[in-house]
Amino acid sequence: MPNNCLHIGPQKSGGLENNVIIIKRTSFIVRATFVACEACVGCSKMSNLKMSVESISHITLLVKDLERSANLFMSVLGAEQVYSGENQQFSLSREKFFIIGGIWFALMEGSPLPERNYNHIAFKILPSEFENFKKRIREAGLECKEDRARVQGEGSSLYFYDFDNHLFELHTGTLEERLRTYNQQKTANKAL
């Protein structure tokens, strides 16, 4: 199929079966597996194919003390431990896996971040649980950081650093609420 790399479904090329992923319709994309065929390599149309990430697979954080960080994840964030490497090493170093809010987190022994910054992971919490989480953070010996200035209606946040300079946010709002609040503020500012 030279000069025509946007083909659909199984195509035979040199005895190999190849599939192209995208059939674009007005408002949706049908997804399938993409394996470039030999005729597509270097084709200028290849750069026009749009691929998207399916979801977050997992988040890995390097920690100095695996046990201490595992206890923090379970006691403060309510993480469920689903794997412990114990003395086995299948990856770069010992690791433990957790589920937090449906997301797979991996804690791996390694050098902690050298300094603190604002890069962070934010978890959604219920407003009614705000004070309970603040208490858990303090009981773990961690300092709650002051919330940043907020527009009324975008939710509240607790920020804290773990033992390895990772910043976490526990947030009561949603993306939809924040966008609605920001759009209302933009409209109000234009009216002034």
Side-chain angles (χ1 to χ4, degrees):
M1 222 176 237
N3 302 325
N4 185 5
C5 67
L6 190 58
H7 51 273
I8 315 246
Q11 300 289 324
K12 295 284 185 179
S13 174
L16 298 173
E17 193 171 277
N18 300 285
N19 297 303
V20 172
I21 49 165
I22 296 179
I23 309 166
K24 192 164 187 177
R25 303 288 163 123
T26 53
S27 64
F28 67 95
I29 295 176
V30 176
R31 296 171 33 152
T33 303
F34 174 72
V35 179
C37 69
E38 296 150 14
C40 293
V41 176
C43 176
S44 62
K45 292 182 183 179
M46 287 296 288
S47 63
N48 294 330
L49 294 178
K50 304 229 186 234
M51 297 170 66
S52 65
V53 171
E54 188 176 312
S55 68
I56 291 177
S57 169
H58 65 281
I59 297 171
T60 300
L61 300 174
L62 295 179
V63 297
K64 184 176 181 178
D65 184 330
L66 190 57
E67 294 306 319
R68 180 172 72 165
S69 294
N71 288 333
L72 172 72
F73 265 53
M74 291 184 290
S75 67
V76 173
L77 300 173
E80 175 190 358
Q81 184 174 307
V82 294
Y83 170 78
S84 178
E86 301 301 325
N87 294 322
Q88 300 173 14
Q89 185 175 324
F90 296 112
S91 190
L92 301 176
S93 63
R94 280 189 338 119
E95 59 192 349
K96 291 183 180 244
F97 299 160
F98 301 87
I99 302 296
I100 304 174
I103 303 289
W104 167 21
F105 277 81
L107 294 182
M108 183 178 284
E109 283 184 331
S111 296
L113 294 171
E115 59 187 38
R116 294 177 171 184
N117 62 46
Y118 189 67
N119 291 332
H120 64 281
I121 299 170
F123 296 100
K124 169 73 172 80
I125 63 170
L126 295 172
S128 61
E129 292 291 323
F130 192 85
E131 291 302 319
N132 186 32
F133 274 104
K134 186 185 284 188
K135 182 180 175 192
R136 285 186 192 178
I137 293 165
R138 289 190 174 134
E139 286 174 352
L142 302 171
E143 175 189 352
C144 284
K145 306 299 286 178
E146 289 295 318
D147 196 2
R148 65 173 174 78
R150 296 208 175 262
V151 176
Q152 186 174 355
E154 70 169 306
S156 299
S157 292
L158 290 169
Y159 292 90
F160 68 96
Y161 287 96
D162 71 358
F163 308 112
D164 299 285
N165 294 327
H166 302 112
L167 179 60
F168 297 97
E169 175 185 4
L170 303 177
H171 186 67
T172 63
T174 65
L175 174 60
E176 292 78 17
E177 291 168 341
R178 185 172 292 191
L179 292 175
R180 183 174 52 249
T181 299
Y182 285 5
N183 285 331
Q184 289 169 349
Q185 288 295 315
K186 281 165 90 177
T187 302
N189 290 340
K190 286 181 183 178
L192 297 176

